[in-house]
Amino acid sequence: MSMGAAWYLRRLSRMGPREVGGRVADTVRRRRWRSSPPGCPDVTAARFTATLPPGAPASVPPDAAKRLLAHADRLMEGHAEFFGVPRADMTDPDWFLDPKTGRRAPEGYAFDVPYRDEEAIGDVKQIWEPSRHQYLTVLAAAYAVSGEERYAERVAAHLRSWWAANAPLRGVHWTSGIELGIRLLSWVWVRRLLDGWPGAAELFERNPVALRQVWHHQRWLAAFPSRGSSANNHVIAEAAGQLAACCAFDWFPSSARWRAEALRTLERQLRGNTFPSGLNRELATEYHGLVLELGLAAVAEAEAADVPVPASVRLVLLRMTDALAAVVDDRLRPPRQGDADDGHGLVLDGEGTDRWGSLLATGDAVFGRLPWWPTVTGTDVHTPLLAALLRPTAPAASRPPSRPAHFADAGLTVLRGPEGIWCRCDGGPHGFLSIAAHAHADALSVEVRHDGVDVLADPGTFCYHGQPAWRRYFRSTLAHNTLEVEGADQSVPGGPFLWTRHARSRVLVADTSGPEVSRWCAEHDGYRGSVHRRSVELTAATRELRVVDELRGPRRAVRLAFHLGPAVTADLTGNRARLGWTRDGVERSATLELPGELTWRAHRGESDPPLGWYSAGFGRKEPATTLVGSGFAGGSAELTTVLGFHG
């Protein structure tokens, strides 16, 4: 997706003077590095001491090890999948190929690569993802668990191949700090997990090519930090990767200085990126998981190197863990809110391991579970290996005594009913910082599940770069369970990661204290001249969810959308839809009584324009039913929707 002059002007308008000055300095430095790149100092006595405690790999549960080895064996056969695109060339990957479009990224000076332009290079996410080297941490973990040297030898071959193809400052893999930060974290764990392999030292600390790569990654991150309006999850990844590498690969004259700066940045940005309640300020749940993973991994490296970590860092990670435990449904699924790109901070597990259960298990090992936490029944590789490096935290008196349901600072409220009825109500800010990069136009939307099944679903994200029509759709107001007025989004988009006007929401009622009835009410001002107010009431005895929409202001054309999960069928007659789905072999049903003031139609898998889709993960989409009511609203009229669950 190529950016024109208008986009650059809109982007510039969201920056403050300090950020503009920093970006100008970055541009000057990039031009200077083109003709005179920084030189790596000579290193003659590098040693790796950040090893796992004896017996840590043996503590991995057998079923988690089995999943890990099965995944590793598929990788050894050359098979992998990135964002829904299968690859069979992973025995000897082309590091610049996008298999989705068949295009290859150019290999010139990094800062000349137009990585946002899919016509020039392909889908950059497809190119970047294998080069995060998280599939190599899986292979290295397989070696640590099994002792089979074939896994280690494949890791070594791929690292040597990548280093040879990606000289410092050459090509697309040197254009984005988050990629460098996550890659450094992967390299630290690869070296740690290969420690028993005879070739580990020759691959890393005795290898001039590896030393040069590690140094240039760290120098790049020190020179070009994400700043200002871009200081979101990217800056956390940069600081976490830098801190991890400077602790584990403490081999260079600048290591101590870079480590100290990375720790200061991590402490400051973790606080800045996190609400006091513990939820991530981007209000994009997958990025909550990414930041939590990165933070825990960075603290583990610091503690393994005996580097003191400020208490505030652990406190933020503790609050994030408790917040995650609070918002998940009965199947440990968190909200599907905002952008999601399947990004992980550290991957040590095989396919089929539950990410959120793993994070909660790690939180239990480090912070201790609270009595109200949901039970985690699955196993993983990540928890025993990471926890082997982390010191348990002393109990914190400030932790919530009961399960929170309303997060006032984030504007997120969870209503819960019998049989796993779970409803997320959104009355929070429109994303984080001036550009709100990962926000969706979803003010006052609801997301409803029954025993973990999406009934009224958040459709997801699907794509970032390229396919602009799909990017616009999946983050539009129409793509969420809320009210659209006169065909416009509540917040105004200015580009694929930019919003130029943000709807302001406020929660008026959040009463989750009663055992029988829970209530929520909020409003937003995204439609100039009108205020959209929504009330939601969940009654436990009748298993009924009532949603009332009001458009306060003049009478205007509206569309009210309800997106059903992909497992849900719908039989729409007039303004009444009978819903059905199956969970664990048991048939379930519900009735959706829709406002009679609107004319209702069912849409499924439409592409021109897009409507009726569900994206389970980045790069993947499937048809799903969307019910859209069209008509007029305004004045004192109310639009009432009732979702009733049957036995």
Side-chain angles (χ1 to χ4, degrees):
M1 186 181 298
S2 183
M3 303 301 177
W7 178 86
Y8 283 102
L9 289 173
R10 290 193 296 269
R11 184 67 182 85
L12 184 64
S13 72
R14 312 307 291 180
M15 302 180 193
R18 185 175 180 180
E19 180 179 355
V20 171
R23 291 178 181 270
V24 169
D26 289 346
T27 300
V28 171
R29 185 176 294 110
R30 288 170 183 145
R31 289 177 177 173
R32 187 171 70 245
W33 282 16
R34 177 198 295 273
S35 57
S36 181
C40 177
D42 292 332
V43 177
T44 57
R47 294 177 60 245
F48 184 81
T49 59
T51 56
L52 284 169
S59 67
V60 173
D63 55 338
K66 183 178 180 180
R67 289 194 304 273
L68 169 66
L69 295 177
H71 185 186
D73 286 343
R74 287 193 292 276
L75 290 170
M76 291 293 290
E77 294 169 356
H79 296 289
E81 183 176 304
F82 300 104
F83 306 135
V85 178
R87 294 186 65 158
D89 63 340
M90 292 303 291
T91 54
D92 184 20
D94 181 340
W95 303 110
F96 301 95
L97 174 68
D98 166 24
K100 188 173 77 173
T101 64
R103 300 187 181 101
R104 292 187 81 254
E107 302 177 28
Y109 183 58
F111 299 116
D112 290 341
V113 176
Y115 66 90
R116 293 188 180 97
D117 188 348
E118 185 169 310
E119 292 299 318
I121 72 165
D123 184 342
V124 73
K125 291 281 288 180
Q126 287 287 345
I127 300 170
W128 276 342
E129 192 67 15
S131 289
R132 289 187 171 189
H133 289 167
Q134 292 175 328
Y135 78 96
L136 294 183
T137 55
V138 170
L139 290 173
Y143 165 76
V145 167
S146 70
E148 293 188 30
E149 293 193 359
R150 62 191 181 100
Y151 298 122
E153 291 164 355
R154 176 62 58 81
V155 171
H158 280 207
L159 282 178
R160 293 183 192 278
S161 167
W162 194 92
W163 291 332
N166 291 275
L169 303 180
R170 307 297 296 178
V172 71
H173 299 301
W174 292 88
T175 59
S176 174
I178 188 174
E179 303 305 314
L180 277 74
I182 290 177
R183 191 156 52 240
L184 277 178
L185 185 58
S186 295
W187 291 354
V188 167
W189 273 89
V190 164
R191 176 61 184 88
R192 171 176 291 125
L193 293 165
L194 296 187
D195 192 60
W197 180 55
E202 297 298 328
L203 178 63
F204 278 94
E205 57 266 30
R206 296 178 194 164
N207 181 357
V209 174
L211 292 171
R212 184 167 177 257
Q213 284 277 348
V214 170
W215 186 86
H216 274 282
H217 273 67
Q218 294 177 326
R219 183 69 185 89
W220 195 108
L221 291 173
F224 302 113
S226 293
R227 61 179 82 246
S229 57
S230 294
N232 53 11
N233 63 85
H234 283 233
V235 76
I236 302 293
E238 293 160 10
Q242 181 80 303
L243 177 60
C246 290
C247 288
F249 301 149
D250 185 18
W251 302 331
F252 308 105
S254 299
S255 291
R257 174 168 56 85
W258 289 340
R259 180 174 62 237
E261 179 56 33
L263 185 54
R264 285 193 295 270
T265 299
L266 185 69
E267 192 275 338
R268 182 174 66 255
Q269 296 296 344
L270 272 176
R271 284 190 291 108
N273 275 255
T274 309
F275 287 112
S277 66
L279 288 178
N280 183 267
R281 286 185 184 271
E282 293 198 75
L283 294 174
T285 311
E286 280 210 3
Y287 288 107
H288 182 108
L290 173 66
V291 169
L292 181 54
E293 288 171 351
L294 290 165
L296 289 169
V299 170
E301 295 304 332
E303 294 189 347
D306 292 323
V307 173
V309 176
S312 56
V313 171
R314 273 182 167 264
L315 181 59
V316 170
L317 297 175
L318 167 63
R319 288 174 175 165
M320 292 184 71
T321 305
D322 281 341
L324 176 62
V327 299
V328 295
D329 65 21
D330 287 6
R331 299 282 180 142
L332 302 184
R333 294 182 63 216
R336 284 167 53 88
Q337 183 178 20
D339 271 348
D341 70 348
D342 298 354
H344 290 256
L346 175 65
V347 179
L348 302 175
D349 274 280
E351 293 172 342
T353 301
D354 178 56
R355 175 189 193 175
W356 307 103
S358 173
L359 265 175
L360 291 177
T362 303
D364 184 3
V366 178
F367 305 119
R369 59 176 284 114
L370 292 170
W372 54 262
W373 271 31
T375 300
V376 177
T377 57
T379 61
D380 67 324
V381 177
H382 181 275
T383 293
L385 296 188
L386 192 68
L389 302 177
L390 285 161
R391 302 179 188 125
T393 296
S398 60
R399 298 178 73 182
S402 59
R403 190 174 200 172
H406 175 57
F407 296 81
D409 47 13
L412 186 149
T413 306
V414 176
L415 311 181
R416 295 179 187 270
E419 298 182 3
I421 297 174
W422 175 98
C423 173
R424 171 183 64 86
C425 303
D426 179 7
H430 180 73
F432 181 47
L433 300 174
S434 61
I435 63 172
H438 292 297
H440 288 187
D442 57 358
L444 276 54
S445 64
V446 295
E447 184 183 2
V448 182
R449 299 177 192 156
H450 183 280
D451 194 21
V453 173
D454 291 310
V455 179
L456 301 183
D458 184 301
T461 299
F462 178 54
C463 66
Y464 281 172
H465 301 283
Q467 300 177 277
W470 291 101
R471 176 64 172 154
R472 284 193 297 270
Y473 168 70
F474 271 97
R475 62 181 194 151
S476 70
T477 297
L478 184 61
H480 295 84
N481 299 315
T482 189
L483 187 72
E484 178 201 71
V485 176
E486 295 182 341
D489 290 327
Q490 311 148 334
S491 295
V492 178
F497 297 99
L498 172 65
W499 297 86
T500 57
R501 185 169 62 81
H502 302 180
R504 295 175 299 179
S505 302
R506 63 173 183 148
V507 176
L508 305 174
V509 176
D511 182 4
T512 61
S513 59
E516 289 300 319
V517 180
S518 300
R519 296 182 177 88
W520 174 87
C521 178
E523 64 184 21
H524 77 81
D525 66 354
Y527 301 119
R528 289 177 174 170
S530 300
V531 171
H532 175 205
R533 176 175 291 186
R534 168 171 278 186
S535 302
V536 179
E537 183 176 282
L538 176 61
T539 304
T542 58
R543 293 178 294 170
E544 183 177 276
L545 186 80
R546 180 178 294 266
V547 180
V548 178
D549 289 293
E550 301 174 69
L551 188 65
R552 300 192 165 197
R555 188 170 172 81
R556 303 172 76 174
V558 301
R559 287 192 291 182
L560 180 60
F562 289 107
H563 300 264
L564 308 182
V568 178
T569 61
D571 181 9
L572 176 65
T573 303
N575 67 314
R576 187 175 189 270
R578 183 169 179 82
L579 313 181
W581 66 93
T582 301
R583 177 60 153 174
D584 297 332
V586 178
E587 293 185 359
R588 303 287 188 181
S589 63
T591 300
L592 191 59
E593 298 283 353
L594 300 158
E597 297 87 345
L598 304 179
T599 301
W600 290 89
R601 286 187 57 198
H603 303 264
R604 185 177 179 86
E606 299 171 10
S607 299
D608 189 18
L611 187 59
W613 296 92
Y614 179 94
S615 175
F618 196 82
R620 292 173 285 157
K621 69 180 188 299
E622 60 186 299
T625 300
T626 296
L627 305 176
V628 178
S630 302
F632 292 86
S636 59
E638 296 182 345
L639 302 175
T640 300
T641 303
V642 180
L643 174 62
F645 292 94
H646 306 156

